[in-house]
Amino acid sequence: MLQELLTAGLAAAAGIAVYSGVAARVVRQYERGLVFRFGRLRQGVRGPGFTMILPFVDRMRKVNMQIVTLPVPAQEGITRDNVTVRVDAVVYFKVVDPANAIIEVEDYRFAVSQMAQTSLRSIIGKSDLDDLLSNREQLNQGLELMIDSPAVGWGVQIDRVEIKDVSLPETMKRSMARQAEADRERRARVINADAELQASKKLAEAAAVMSEQPAALQLRLLQTVVAVAAEKNSTLVLPFPVELLRFLERAAPAPAPGGAEPAPQAPPAVTAPEPPPPVTAPPPPPSIAGPDPASDEPEAG
């Protein structure tokens, strides 16, 4: 009798152990469990820790509640100002309603990925190139709203969306580099012109001060000579005295009284050249006369 009771107890313990092994489930801290009994969702979500289900009747599905980092593949599109770019982004989201994440959508990760790609292409078409390069915060907020609107019904909350990189064509990069170089050159010229203006004002003030003391100009000239002579070169600088220029100016002839200018001297008269002597024809050569035929006849008696 005792042996039979012992055997029955051992059998019951073994059955309980087997049942516990089949029905026992452990839910981690970052997970939540959903129990389906004959395909129907049971009310309530199993929290983290040890839990039991009916074997062969219930089926538990665990949902990760951690923030998921989902990279968005690079999308190529044309901006509003007709520039072809490639933009990639990253989406951070988490599940806030495990029941909707399992029931309302087949695969919430794939759904969020496709929605992010579609929204990214839409943002590219609605934005200018300058906005993609410099105003990313506003674009990130708009992209987050576009993805979060349908994801609310899936039990998913979009934490944040970030645009990672904007790839431009090589021709556009060279054009932007030339534009930046021209802008820097323009600023340099403006700064140089401003410096010239300030220097001219200071030089005008210095000239006004030196004009009160003529010796100051001579001292400044000597200082310039000393500065040039300090350099190791073979060039000899000889300053031309200003007083000599003033002496030559005073020595110049004064203009005629009354403001009349002296009459210009008449140019010398040009005489016509003498005509050449007339050319006479040479005399004709003397003619040679033959003997007279009358003289050869004898005289008549």
Side-chain angles (χ1 to χ4, degrees):
M1 185 66 181
L2 183 59
Q3 186 176 2
E4 292 177 358
L5 291 176
L6 183 58
T7 303
L10 292 176
I16 293 174
V18 172
Y19 178 82
S20 300
V22 176
R25 294 291 186 271
V26 176
V27 181
R28 296 182 179 89
Q29 181 66 35
Y30 54 86
E31 294 177 340
R32 297 296 182 269
L34 298 177
V35 179
F36 292 86
R37 178 167 294 177
F38 296 110
R40 185 181 181 88
L41 179 65
R42 295 288 304 270
Q43 293 295 331
V45 178
R46 303 294 176 89
F50 181 81
T51 184
M52 298 288 292
I53 63 174
L54 294 177
F56 310 109
V57 176
D58 294 343
R59 184 174 59 89
M60 176 178 286
R61 184 163 181 182
K62 301 176 182 178
V63 181
N64 194 334
M65 305 295 291
Q66 292 176 317
I67 295 178
V68 180
T69 303
L70 180 65
V72 181
Q75 303 296 314
E76 185 172 356
I78 300 177
T79 60
R80 191 166 55 182
D81 50 355
N82 299 325
V83 179
T84 303
V85 295
R86 288 177 60 88
V87 182
D88 55 351
V90 58
V91 180
Y92 302 92
F93 69 94
K94 64 180 178 179
V95 177
V96 294
D97 191 347
N100 289 339
I102 298 300
I103 297 174
E104 298 296 335
V105 63
E106 180 182 1
D107 187 353
Y108 63 89
R109 290 174 178 263
F110 183 73
V112 172
S113 176
Q114 295 300 314
M115 180 57 64
Q117 296 180 32
T118 305
S119 302
L120 182 58
R121 286 194 293 268
S122 178
I123 284 292
I124 292 174
K126 295 179 181 178
S127 305
D128 295 332
L129 180 60
D130 294 338
D131 295 335
L132 289 175
L133 296 177
S134 61
N135 195 13
R136 293 191 181 183
E137 292 295 333
Q138 185 176 359
L139 296 180
N140 292 337
Q141 295 176 3
L143 189 58
E144 181 179 348
L145 291 176
M146 295 179 66
I147 302 175
D148 190 57
S149 297
V152 172
W154 303 338
V156 176
Q157 178 184 356
I158 304 300
D159 187 68
R160 63 184 305 174
V161 181
E162 294 287 344
I163 295 177
K164 293 173 58 178
D165 187 24
V166 179
S167 300
L168 301 175
E170 293 297 329
T171 55
M172 181 58 63
K173 292 181 180 179
R174 289 194 291 267
S175 300
M176 294 177 66
R178 290 195 298 268
Q179 179 183 359
E181 183 179 358
D183 185 65
R184 288 193 298 268
E185 184 177 357
R186 179 185 62 84
R187 291 199 300 266
R189 290 184 177 180
V190 170
I191 294 174
N192 190 17
D194 191 12
E196 292 290 340
L197 177 60
Q198 295 179 7
S200 62
K201 292 181 179 179
K202 295 298 181 182
L203 289 175
E205 294 177 2
V209 173
M210 289 183 179
S211 62
E212 298 177 358
Q213 298 292 335
L217 185 60
Q218 188 67 22
L219 294 176
R220 185 70 182 91
L221 180 61
L222 295 177
Q223 184 179 0
T224 304
V225 173
V226 171
V228 173
E231 299 292 336
K232 296 181 180 180
N233 49 28
S234 58
T235 303
L236 180 61
V237 178
L238 295 177
F240 195 75
V242 182
E243 290 77 5
L244 182 59
L245 293 177
R246 294 176 180 174
F247 174 76
L248 295 177
E249 183 180 357
R250 289 193 299 267
E261 297 181 355
Q265 298 180 359
V270 180
T271 58
E274 296 181 357
V279 180
T280 58
S287 59
I288 302 174
D292 190 1
S295 61
D296 292 341
E297 294 180 359
E299 296 180 357

